[in-house]
Amino acid sequence: MSFFEHQDRARRNTQQLVGLFILSLICIVLAIYGAALLTFGVAGSHLSIWQPHILFWVAVFTTTVVGLGSWYKTGLLKAGGKVIAQDLGGKRLVPEMANPAEQQLLNIVEEMAIAANMPVPPVYILDQEHGINAFAAGHTPKDAVIGITRGAIEELSRDELQGVIGHEFSHILNGDMRLNLQLVGWLHGLLLIYILGRVLFRWNHVGSRNEKGNNFMWFGLGLIVIGSIGMLCGRIIKAAVSRQREFLADASAVQFTRNPAGIAEALRKIANYRHSSLVHSPYAEANSHLFFGSALRFNFFSELFATHPPLTQRIGRLEKYGERSLTQAPRKAQSTTATSQPSSNSTQHATGSNELVMGLAGGMAQPITPERPAHSNAPTSRSLDTEAAWLATIPGSVRSGLQDPAGAMAIALALALDFEDSTLNDQQVTWLHQAESPEVVERILDYHRAIAPINPHLRFALLDEAIPALRQNSAAQCQQLFKALTGLAKVDGRWSWSEYALYLILGYRLSKPKPTDESYSTLTPLWSECLLVLSALAQVGQPKPEDTVYAFKAGVYRLPGAGQNPLPELPPACNMGELKKSLDRLAIATPKLKQAVVEACAYMVLLDNDVTLHEAELMRAIAVALDCALPPFLSPDYRGRKSTKAKGRAV
């Protein structure tokens, strides 16, 4: 199962969640109705057990309480995963205050984030929890956080920590987190019945002792029992939608690290460690399905209520992955071509590079197998080592600046200064002196000089490192940043593609997540947007009109439904504003369709086996805008041909 197929299944699980929630609500309504009849003597009188008006008001009362509870909790969770981390007692880990073990954890999270083409998520430590556990929470990668217990930091080795963090990154990339937060919000409503019952029971127990008061006390006790049933229903719901995702996340962690032993040893330590993976926070019940290992102990009916598969099963599957990777060599992937693809020189153009594009199709959640190509979209152990090596090459002043909100803003502006044209650079510096204080300008120029030796194709990777610090700035400061980026871009009277790609990436990374219903399951209603995105990339990447047309058509033939939708003779004219609107529209397509668009773009870029700087930067911006993983040829360990020249024309 691929990463995007898993996201499709996650949406089906959401529908399953709705059905289970409604079924649980019906059961609770009927139980409260029965408690009302028994408590107030209706069942023992000559009246019929069937009392529609009582059932109606019980249904209204119950639905209102559950609905308001779910609505309230869901509203709180809109702030993102940090709400969950803080409820569980988590404290954000600040790099400046980190000890060596904590710094090692931050390094692992940083390496994973760069390899996965996503912002580095904040890390929260649960200092009071000595079990070995971790979780990821958030609606999207933009507001995701990683939480980890103190026991995990102290007891796990680097390889084991890497496996655990890889597992949590899988939940972020596979779209599991949104479903997890929906569970937290919805099940909170079911728990409110239990809470209301305790209030009624306690109020009447210490208050009135007349017959009516006793009735309400017994009714409160009934609500406690029924609320406990709601809690058990919640556990069943969490178990129903959580277990298989843990197997997939384990497999994804193996893909991230190419080290099955790391995560397997972490699970063995949970099985043998005296604190196991238990979480003692009072909020553990509501959030148990978020964790790496089982956060609760189930003495009875563990098969029914457990949110995680048995440790022995998880370890056994990981051992099989390890045996395969050690005893069988990976088979080279065979490239495929679209049936309607231009036939002239397509095979020749794509030789050696088409395989890298095919790596995109594997996705992040596909189990590791001998047939899995080594250049898969998931980072291999070599690519993780390369990410760590690349991070080590970043000058210390830049690394420290990435952790500071003001420094991160200065680094973003340093990236906006031209690295090739000294005349334009001088004009931009002159503009900066007019817009910023001398101290700020000097800091920007220091960063610009420090960044200059970095591989131009990897400079924009610094942006993902800077995002956590940039998000700490106020809205007014972020507006000032974008105003400065616009001013620098307009110094010469026009936007370059590098400037616009930088603006797009920061805009998408810093914008608040907008919950949307993915309403497009085919590309037909989005066909004109697809054509415009491919046209922009083709014109950026190809210097000759005939090459532009060829690349454009080759990319279009890679899209699903290419034979059923019209293909223009020439690429449609476009500008940067139209490109932004097209990307916004494509962003609400299903993940599988967005993946198809990114694959088509990547195929176009690799047609001539020459990845220019403008192509790489625009390709990165497209992947960020569509929330897709970065194509393999933009990773630090890509061995194909990269060019720093800009061969594309302005659009």
Side-chain angles (χ1 to χ4, degrees):
M1 177 181 294
S2 75
F3 154 49
F4 291 97
E5 288 170 343
H6 178 62
Q7 283 198 334
D8 287 340
R9 196 173 89 166
R11 282 190 301 281
R12 291 195 296 272
N13 280 346
T14 303
Q15 297 172 352
Q16 180 187 27
L17 168 61
V18 173
L20 289 171
F21 182 81
I22 293 174
L23 181 61
S24 299
L25 185 58
I26 292 173
C27 291
I28 291 173
V29 168
L30 294 177
I32 293 177
Y33 172 66
L37 295 181
L38 290 172
T39 300
F40 298 105
V42 176
S45 68
H46 64 280
L47 296 176
S48 170
I49 293 178
W50 174 242
Q51 300 291 329
H53 64 287
I54 295 179
L55 178 60
F56 171 78
W57 287 112
V58 165
V60 170
F61 164 78
T62 305
T63 304
T64 301
V65 170
V66 172
L68 287 176
S70 299
W71 173 79
Y72 172 75
K73 189 65 174 181
T74 301
L76 290 179
L77 293 175
K78 286 183 179 179
K82 65 180 182 180
V83 176
I84 298 292
Q86 291 166 354
D87 282 349
L88 289 165
K91 181 176 64 177
R92 183 167 180 176
L93 180 56
V94 180
E96 292 80 7
M97 305 293 291
N99 61 35
E102 294 168 346
Q103 188 58 55
Q104 175 180 262
L105 170 65
L106 289 174
N107 292 341
I108 292 172
V109 172
E110 195 173 26
E111 293 161 14
M112 292 282 186
I114 293 175
N117 183 37
M118 62 169 284
V120 182
V123 178
Y124 285 78
I125 296 182
L126 278 60
D127 272 320
Q128 304 305 314
E129 303 294 346
H130 298 287
I132 298 175
N133 225 323
F135 66 90
H139 295 283
T140 71
K142 292 180 181 180
D143 63 3
V145 304
I146 297 289
I148 190 164
T149 61
R150 175 58 64 183
I153 295 175
E154 293 177 349
E155 299 297 329
L156 298 182
S157 68
R158 193 183 202 283
D159 283 351
E160 292 160 357
L161 267 178
Q162 198 175 71
V164 172
I165 298 301
H167 177 104
E168 298 309 323
F169 264 79
S170 163
H171 286 311
I172 296 175
L173 293 168
N174 289 347
D176 292 337
M177 294 189 309
R178 187 175 181 182
L179 177 61
N180 286 340
L181 257 66
Q182 285 176 329
L183 272 172
V184 173
W186 291 7
L187 298 183
H188 182 76
L190 296 181
L191 291 175
L192 274 188
I193 299 295
Y194 173 82
I195 296 171
L196 182 61
R198 291 194 60 176
V199 171
L200 283 175
F201 181 80
R202 180 174 178 79
W203 177 61
N204 287 283
H205 182 71
V206 300
S208 173
R209 283 297 184 180
N210 57 36
E211 182 178 351
K212 186 175 181 180
N214 286 334
N215 285 343
F216 274 105
M217 184 181 71
W218 288 112
F219 184 61
L221 181 61
L223 290 183
I224 292 175
V225 174
I226 294 166
S228 300
I229 295 172
M231 182 173 64
L232 295 179
C233 288
R235 287 185 173 182
I236 294 172
I237 290 173
K238 288 188 289 186
V241 300
S242 297
R243 291 181 193 167
Q244 289 303 313
R245 294 179 303 149
E246 296 305 316
F247 285 131
L248 290 167
D250 287 345
S252 294
V254 174
Q255 280 190 296
F256 267 118
T257 63
R258 279 295 191 261
N259 181 16
I263 185 171
E265 286 303 317
L267 290 170
R268 286 193 185 93
K269 282 190 175 179
I270 288 176
N272 300 322
Y273 185 48
R274 61 189 179 91
H275 294 295
S276 67
S277 59
L278 297 182
V279 176
H280 300 286
S281 166
Y283 290 90
E285 172 66 46
N287 300 294
S288 60
H289 58 294
L290 302 177
F291 283 91
F292 170 74
S294 180
L296 304 174
R297 178 180 283 116
F298 299 97
N299 296 320
F300 302 100
F301 303 108
S302 59
E303 290 293 323
L304 181 63
F305 297 136
T307 54
H308 292 66
L311 289 174
T312 53
Q313 289 186 22
R314 295 174 69 181
I315 294 170
R317 292 196 181 196
L318 289 165
E319 288 175 342
K320 290 180 181 178
Y321 295 149
E323 291 170 2
R324 290 177 187 173
S325 63
L326 289 173
T327 61
Q328 300 184 29
R331 186 179 68 191
K332 188 175 182 180
Q334 300 296 318
S335 61
T336 60
T337 55
T339 56
S340 305
Q341 188 176 331
S343 59
S344 57
N345 294 322
S346 60
T347 304
Q348 180 180 354
H349 282 169
T351 299
S353 61
N354 196 28
E355 294 179 359
L356 286 168
V357 180
M358 292 304 295
L360 287 169
M364 301 304 302
Q366 186 177 358
I368 176 174
T369 64
E371 293 79 9
R372 182 122 170 92
H375 48 260
S376 149
N377 196 34
T380 64
S381 58
R382 179 168 65 94
S383 69
L384 278 176
D385 291 341
T386 307
E387 301 292 352
W390 176 74
L391 285 170
T393 66
I394 300 175
S397 61
V398 177
R399 288 295 300 272
S400 60
L402 290 168
Q403 311 297 330
D404 171 52
M409 288 184 67
I411 289 172
L413 293 174
L415 288 168
L417 295 177
D418 199 282
F419 287 91
E420 304 297 331
D421 189 336
S422 59
T423 301
L424 176 57
N425 183 282
D426 290 341
Q427 293 173 346
Q428 291 176 318
V429 172
T430 300
W431 184 91
L432 275 177
H433 278 292
Q434 297 171 354
E436 303 287 350
S437 67
E439 295 79 11
V440 171
V441 174
E442 188 59 34
R443 190 176 191 184
I444 293 171
L445 295 179
D446 286 343
Y447 286 139
H448 182 77
R449 287 187 288 268
I451 292 170
I454 296 176
N455 183 338
H457 285 257
L458 300 177
R459 287 173 187 156
F460 275 17
L462 292 173
L463 294 174
D464 285 337
E465 293 287 296
I467 293 303
L470 287 173
R471 285 181 179 156
Q472 297 178 41
N473 289 311
S474 66
Q477 289 171 317
C478 288
Q479 289 176 359
Q480 182 62 32
L481 171 62
F482 287 106
K483 183 179 179 180
L485 291 173
T486 302
L488 289 173
K490 291 184 176 180
V491 163
D492 59 349
R494 66 181 183 87
W495 286 79
S496 71
W497 278 111
S498 291
E499 292 163 342
Y500 193 65
L502 174 64
Y503 193 94
L504 278 181
I505 292 170
L506 286 173
Y508 283 111
R509 289 298 197 210
L510 295 178
S511 62
K512 292 183 178 180
K514 297 179 180 179
T516 57
D517 295 325
E518 292 163 349
S519 54
Y520 296 110
S521 56
T522 71
L523 286 180
T524 298
L526 299 170
W527 193 247
S528 60
E529 285 78 11
C530 293
L531 297 181
L532 195 141
V533 171
L534 293 175
S535 174
L537 192 57
Q539 293 179 61
V540 166
Q542 302 299 331
K544 299 178 181 179
E546 59 271 23
D547 292 338
T548 300
V549 173
Y550 179 81
F552 170 72
K553 290 187 176 181
V556 172
Y557 283 126
R558 304 292 296 187
L559 295 173
Q564 291 77 44
N565 292 287
L567 173 63
E569 287 297 319
L570 297 174
C574 64
N575 57 43
M576 294 174 179
E578 292 171 341
L579 175 62
K580 172 69 164 59
K581 292 178 182 177
S582 296
L583 290 173
D584 288 343
R585 284 260 296 163
L586 287 170
I588 59 175
T590 62
K592 190 180 294 186
L593 291 180
K594 291 188 288 188
Q595 176 203 19
V597 174
V598 171
E599 285 184 13
C601 291
Y603 183 82
M604 287 171 49
V605 171
L606 291 176
L607 273 176
D608 57 1
N609 200 30
D610 182 13
V611 184
T612 69
L613 183 57
H614 284 172
E615 284 179 313
E617 291 169 340
L618 185 57
M619 185 71 245
R620 183 183 289 269
I622 291 171
V624 168
L626 300 183
D627 273 332
C628 290
L630 198 66
F633 62 82
L634 295 182
S635 64
D637 59 345
Y638 175 60
R639 296 294 181 260
R641 183 182 172 197
K642 289 182 179 179
S643 171
T644 58
K645 63 184 180 180
K647 63 185 178 184
R649 304 187 306 279
V651 178

